[in-house]
Amino acid sequence: MPATPTQGHVVVAPDKFKGTLEGAEVAARIAAGIRRAAPGVEIRELPVADGGEGTLAAALAAGFTRIPAKVAGPTGLPVDAALAVRGDTAVVELAQSSGLARLPGGRTAPLAAGSYGVGQLIGRAVGLGAKRIVLGLGGSACTDGGAGMVQALGVGLQDADGGELPPGGGALRKLARIDLGPVADVLTGVEVVVACDVDNPLLGPRGATAVYGPQKGADGDDLVVLEEGLARFADVVGAAVGRDYREAPGAGAAGGVGFAALALLGATMRPGIELMLELLGFDEAVRGARLVVTGEGCLDAQTLHGKAPAGVAAAATRAGVRVAAVAGRLELSEREWRAAGFAAAYALTDLAEQPGDSMTRAAELAEVAGERLAAALLSG
């Protein structure tokens, strides 16, 4: 028998189920299931992201306008990317131009991949009149310290012979001089805010190369070359700007793009999900709600350290609203997910009839999860 809804709406605010469903589709499917069990309830769909892949899609779902842009991909080949704009705020997602998914044929290029396209997207945002640029980091294919990004904005990086360095972190060991060029003028009056959910420094065992380099195809000698290149970049940039940012939390994000954003773009860093919830108007959406539903592909230990569902749960709890989670897989114990603020948690793997169904039938099972949680939490 369908649940009888009472006062208050439901906010459905999941992140993407990586490799399976985009956040907007997850939200739509969960909402469809809730409507079956509680047909009279008002539902507000607000897909979220933590600053990594999916950030652009979340902004578009929240009412931002998509602006297409053809820019350089991680290996220099042109790619069709986009940014999102609302008023004088622009959202730039690194993965749109320089993400692993943009590598031709999926072939990694650890030494040659660069971030030039990110700088082009920032330049496009400035050209559109943006006064605040939210830069989402995550899913990067490069370990160039953000060198390509700042080159696209007019910074010159020369070797000892005065030649401009080619793209990629592999070239940075030859850096001799930096010409800051017009970058300060380009960004005059523009606030750059980095949405980032990691606190890694640029160098060392927790740095961009050691932690993330292998994910981008680097091993053995490549790792040595990239680490030495980033160290050289940090030395030259530090001398030019009068401050050393290599140990700044988040400097190692996205192959060191966080470093260049801080040191050369004057950026500030914010926890990704905190910034995105603010940008998407979550506090307003949750006001007066009786339930929030969030989730991601896998609810696990990483979720508890700054990932989107934990941020949604914390924000909803502050507003005095119960939170339920829907995930592809659930790897937290009930004690752990309850301690994180969730009143209930549903895993698609538990709803699947056959192994693998949670991936191949994810959309259908997300609806089932919505129906189940509505029957359990919205009745009475």
Side-chain angles (χ1 to χ4, degrees):
M1 184 173 179
T4 303
T6 59
Q7 196 70 21
H9 61 279
V10 175
V11 178
V12 183
D15 199 351
K16 65 186 177 302
F17 283 21
K18 191 170 184 179
T20 307
L21 299 173
E22 293 298 323
E25 188 172 5
V26 178
R29 293 292 188 156
I30 292 173
I34 293 173
R35 289 189 182 99
R36 280 206 298 271
V41 74
E42 178 192 349
I43 301 174
R44 301 181 191 178
E45 297 172 29
L46 189 73
V48 301
D50 58 15
E53 294 166 276
T55 295
L56 180 75
L60 296 176
F64 280 66
T65 299
R66 185 180 187 275
I67 306 295
K70 189 176 286 290
V71 299
T75 61
L77 296 175
V79 297
D80 291 316
L83 60 156
V85 174
R86 185 172 66 189
D88 62 1
T89 297
V91 175
V92 172
E93 178 187 312
L94 175 143
Q96 278 284 307
S97 60
S98 305
L100 286 164
R102 294 299 199 176
L103 288 164
R107 293 183 296 275
T108 56
L111 299 182
S115 57
Y116 196 90
V118 184
Q120 290 177 300
L121 288 174
I122 292 171
R124 178 83 166 109
V126 173
L128 291 167
K131 297 303 179 186
R132 187 179 195 229
I133 297 174
V134 175
L135 176 59
L137 302 186
S140 164
C142 57
T143 310
D144 74 341
M149 175 181 70
V150 297
Q151 283 176 307
L153 292 169
V155 173
L157 302 176
Q158 289 98 32
D159 60 24
D161 297 322
E164 189 70 12
L165 292 187
L172 288 175
R173 290 195 302 179
K174 296 181 179 179
L175 178 63
R177 288 184 296 275
I178 182 169
D179 176 1
L180 298 181
V183 67
D185 293 334
V186 168
L187 294 174
T188 297
V190 179
E191 177 192 15
V192 179
V193 187
V194 175
C196 179
D197 64 353
V198 301
D199 62 359
N200 305 74
L202 181 65
L203 304 170
R206 293 186 61 248
T209 300
V211 176
Y212 303 110
Q215 300 171 11
K216 303 168 191 183
D219 58 15
D221 291 343
D222 289 348
L223 294 172
V224 174
V225 169
L226 291 171
E227 183 76 354
E228 290 179 354
L230 291 179
R232 179 62 184 160
F233 190 40
D235 288 344
V236 174
V237 170
V241 302
R243 182 177 171 186
D244 193 340
Y245 286 87
R246 74 186 74 200
E247 293 295 330
V257 171
F259 168 79
L262 290 169
L264 296 170
L265 305 188
T268 56
M269 285 212 173
R270 294 270 306 278
I273 184 58
E274 176 187 294
L275 177 58
M276 291 305 298
L277 290 180
E278 178 185 298
L279 194 69
L280 302 175
F282 181 82
D283 284 351
E284 182 180 347
V286 80
R287 193 173 298 123
R290 59 185 301 221
L291 179 68
V292 170
V293 183
T294 187
E296 64 180 344
C298 182
L299 215 64
D300 58 14
Q302 285 192 336
T303 303
L304 307 180
H305 297 284
K307 293 294 186 180
V312 170
T317 299
R318 287 194 297 271
V321 181
R322 286 192 304 171
V323 192
V326 175
R329 299 194 316 277
L330 183 59
E331 296 184 359
L332 297 176
S333 67
E334 181 173 350
R335 179 185 61 80
E336 288 172 322
W337 56 254
R338 286 195 182 278
F342 298 104
Y346 298 81
L348 303 193
T349 51
D350 294 336
L351 302 174
E353 295 177 2
Q354 301 291 334
D357 279 359
S358 62
M359 296 289 286
T360 60
R361 296 174 54 219
E364 176 188 342
L365 293 172
E367 287 194 26
V368 174
E371 191 171 6
R372 297 247 181 124
L373 71 86
L377 299 175
L378 297 177
S379 60

